[in-house]
Amino acid sequence: MKQARELSEKLSERPVTDLTKAFAINDKLLYINELFGRDAESFNETLKILNKFERMEEATSLLMSLAEQYNWTEEDRLEIAQSFIKTVRRKYV
C-alpha cells in the first residue's frame, strides 16, 4: 500500500506539458461545474491561455481574476480550487 501511495504521489508531481490533456474526465467535470460555473467553454479557454504562459507568475494574475469572478474562496470550493491550481502549477516547474 505504501509503495502505491508513493507512486501516486510521484505521478501527481510530474510536470505537465499541456494543460488541456492534464485532467481526467472526472476532474474536468468537477472543475467545470464547481469552479467555472458549468461553463465548459470558459474552462477550455482558460487552459489554452494558461498553456501559452511561460511562468507561474504570468498565470497567477489570470487565476486570481478567475478566483474572484467565480468565488473560488468560498468554503465549499476552496479545496477544489487548490487542487486545480496545484495541477496548473505543475505546468511551470
Side-chain angles (χ1 to χ4, degrees):
M1 190 74 165
K2 183 179 178 182
Q3 188 175 17
R5 185 172 189 185
E6 289 174 0
L7 176 60
S8 66
E9 288 172 5
K10 287 179 183 179
L11 290 174
S12 73
E13 294 172 359
R14 289 180 53 198
V16 170
T17 56
D18 183 353
L19 287 168
T20 63
K21 298 176 183 177
F23 300 100
I25 189 70
N26 287 343
D27 291 334
K28 285 182 182 183
L29 292 173
L30 175 67
Y31 297 143
I32 289 167
N33 290 334
E34 297 297 326
L35 300 181
F36 288 86
R38 302 187 187 281
D39 186 352
E41 187 175 326
S42 179
F43 173 76
N44 291 324
E45 188 60 32
T46 297
L47 296 183
K48 288 178 188 176
I49 293 168
L50 289 168
N51 269 336
K52 293 178 184 178
F53 293 147
E54 297 291 324
R55 298 183 339 265
M56 185 63 191
E57 291 77 20
E58 295 173 285
T60 299
S61 64
L62 175 60
L63 293 170
M64 295 288 282
S65 173
L66 291 167
E68 186 175 316
Q69 178 182 352
Y70 292 108
N71 299 314
W72 290 2
T73 56
E74 288 183 7
E75 188 175 337
D76 59 333
R77 292 189 181 127
L78 191 57
E79 189 174 323
I80 299 166
Q82 289 171 338
S83 172
F84 175 73
I85 293 168
K86 182 179 177 180
T87 302
V88 170
R89 182 171 281 137
R90 289 173 41 206
K91 166 84 168 94
Y92 309 106
V93 291

